[in-house]
Amino acid sequence: MRTMTAAGARRTALAAQGFGAAHPSTANRRALQRVLERTRLLQLDSVAAVVRAHYAPVFSRIGGYDRDLLDELAWSHNARRPRRLVEYWAHEAALMPVEDWPLLRWRMDRYRHGRWGGAKRVLEHSPRLPKDVLEVIREFGACTAGEVERHLELERPRSKDHWGWNYSDTKVVCELLFATGELSVDKRVGFQRYYDLTERVLPPEVLARSVDEPDAVRELVSHAADALGIATEPDLRDYYRLQRTQTEPALADLVDAGELEPVQVTGWDRPAYLRTGARTPRAVTGSALLCPFDPLIFCRPRTERLFDFHYRIEIYTPEPQRVHGYYVFPFLLDGELVARVDLRADRGTGRLLVPGAFAEPGRDEARVAAELAAALRAMADWLELDTVVIGERGDLAAELTRATG
């Protein structure tokens, strides 16, 4: 088995995710699609402390771009520019290429009673509700769960004696039908899902494609290997939230086919798999702010192994117990995670707030602060915020204040 250095593995992983290359001269639709060809998915999250999670990884890789371009890829469709992305439970809720949707039909089958126990309870007391929801959406088109609820009340009156749902039940059933693939997301407005029949969201050739679970999993693992460059079995498993019993046979097949090469990485406690043809650059330069849900770092054990960087999101940690802050972005500089900043976009006052800034041990704080100040200014410009305001928390705060001023 070939041995790679930890530094080489790190550069391979960064190159696979699209880091180290110069930003395109024009951050257009084509540049955005190249990002998606590398990452294969963008995680969705409701937190809007700075910017929605799916927008940030694109900015980290190509710089300032028009977020409407991503919205168009995901939530609009016409003959000239067909929909390129669709929502589903990939790595949690995520946008992924439309052509990958059939690879998760086996997951849709497993979710026939919902992702959580609540759906089963709703079905027990309101067994007709899924059929009623589908009929409403078939008749009225894409709807939010709240709109479905209103249509059920206003357009389909019935005796209260036969009702067994309220708004939350309707939402649960909409999510159930989304999980089973009967509904998809036509668009989002104000981040609310507008559910529609999947047959009206996806093209017929995608709906018609049937892939057996082992073949689908093998293709998903292959996509994960493309996106990660080099990875352990748990890393590959995590990218699409697969199970070990699924990934191990897929890995054996991909190794036999010459698509993956088992390698040993110095300092790693388990074998790794190198994507055949993955590039290992001599150096990775440049900087990027990474949101907590960026595909480079959303697998926390992998982040620690690659970068010696312990990272946890602290949104749900009580404020007095937070170490670094509510919504912390790691800062990537020349292939290393060198700092982290707690960020908030105050759109009402046009300010990008930095309540806390923290350097990793042993870093040149003056250089890190100078590069970080430039990255924060670029983010503020992208978000159309006028000023960057540095707080007092963290060992890098004073240096960053000087660099920003």
Side-chain angles (χ1 to χ4, degrees), residues 343-362:
L343 295 181
R344 214 82 74 248
D346 187 341
R347 293 169 181 82
T349 61
R351 299 181 299 166
L352 180 62
L353 305 178
V354 189
F358 307 83
E360 288 299 286

Side-chain angles (χ1 to χ4, degrees), residues 220-242:
L220 291 171
V221 173
S222 179
H223 288 342
D226 285 336
L228 297 175
I230 185 168
T232 64
E233 182 274 328
D235 298 340
L236 294 163
R237 186 197 324 159
D238 178 78
Y239 210 75
Y240 289 97
R241 296 295 166 90
L242 303 169

Side-chain angles (χ1 to χ4, degrees), residues 132-199:
D132 288 341
V133 168
L134 288 171
E135 287 178 356
V136 165
I137 291 175
R138 183 173 288 107
E139 181 176 349
F140 294 100
C143 296
T144 66
E147 288 172 344
V148 172
E149 173 80 3
R150 288 192 289 276
H151 284 307
L152 286 170
E153 291 180 356
L154 299 175
E155 305 294 336
R156 296 164 183 267
R158 66 198 71 189
S159 167
K160 294 283 186 179
D161 294 339
H162 299 290
W163 281 29
W165 65 85
N166 52 33
Y167 172 82
S168 61
D169 286 355
T170 305
K171 175 65 174 178
V172 166
V173 166
C174 286
E175 283 296 301
L176 165 66
L177 294 169
F178 171 68
T180 61
E182 294 171 84
L183 294 180
S184 191
V185 178
D186 175 64
K187 62 185 176 182
R188 281 184 183 254
V189 178
F191 209 62
Q192 281 196 92
R193 280 175 170 157
Y194 278 71
Y195 304 93
D196 202 351
L197 303 178
T198 301
E199 66 205 51

Side-chain angles (χ1 to χ4, degrees), residues 174-405:
C174 286
E175 283 296 301
L176 165 66
L177 294 169
F178 171 68
T180 61
E182 294 171 84
L183 294 180
S184 191
V185 178
D186 175 64
K187 62 185 176 182
R188 281 184 183 254
V189 178
F191 209 62
Q192 281 196 92
R193 280 175 170 157
Y194 278 71
Y195 304 93
D196 202 351
L197 303 178
T198 301
E199 66 205 51
R200 297 199 296 227
V201 173
L202 297 179
E205 64 272 17
V206 170
L207 287 174
R209 187 184 177 202
S210 178
V211 188
D212 291 339
E213 181 176 334
D215 294 334
V217 169
R218 186 166 53 252
E219 195 167 339
L220 291 171
V221 173
S222 179
H223 288 342
D226 285 336
L228 297 175
I230 185 168
T232 64
E233 182 274 328
D235 298 340
L236 294 163
R237 186 197 324 159
D238 178 78
Y239 210 75
Y240 289 97
R241 296 295 166 90
L242 303 169
Q243 297 174 346
R244 184 173 181 175
T245 54
Q246 294 174 302
T247 55
E248 287 187 338
L251 284 171
D253 288 349
L254 291 167
V255 169
D256 287 345
E259 296 185 40
L260 295 180
E261 177 190 355
V263 296
Q264 184 64 51
V265 178
T266 304
W268 289 20
D269 61 357
R270 64 183 69 213
Y273 296 88
L274 177 66
R275 181 57 154 155
T276 301
R279 191 169 62 90
T280 304
R282 295 172 64 95
V284 175
T285 58
S287 66
L289 286 159
L290 305 175
C291 88
F293 304 104
D294 191 290
L296 179 66
I297 59 170
F298 59 32
C299 181
R300 309 304 189 210
R302 174 177 168 83
T303 302
E304 191 153 359
R305 190 185 327 112
L306 278 174
F307 297 102
D308 191 24
F309 187 89
H310 181 79
Y311 179 52
R312 297 292 183 272
I313 193 165
E314 298 181 273
I315 291 173
Y316 303 110
T317 302
E319 186 173 0
Q321 299 173 28
R322 291 176 191 149
V323 177
H324 297 108
Y326 176 78
Y327 203 63
V328 173
F329 280 55
F331 181 52
L332 178 71
L333 178 63
D334 294 343
E336 303 274 1
L337 294 179
V338 299
R340 60 189 93 198
V341 283
D342 186 18
L343 295 181
R344 214 82 74 248
D346 187 341
R347 293 169 181 82
T349 61
R351 299 181 299 166
L352 180 62
L353 305 178
V354 189
F358 307 83
E360 288 299 286
R363 305 298 178 178
D364 179 346
E365 293 189 4
R367 178 169 184 261
V368 169
E371 297 285 353
L372 179 54
L376 290 167
R377 181 65 262 169
M379 174 174 276
D381 290 343
W382 175 53
L383 297 177
E384 300 180 306
L385 302 172
D386 300 320
T387 57
V388 178
V389 180
I390 312 300
E392 298 180 352
R393 292 188 61 245
D395 56 359
L396 191 60
E399 193 74 56
L400 185 58
T401 299
R402 285 190 288 272
T404 304

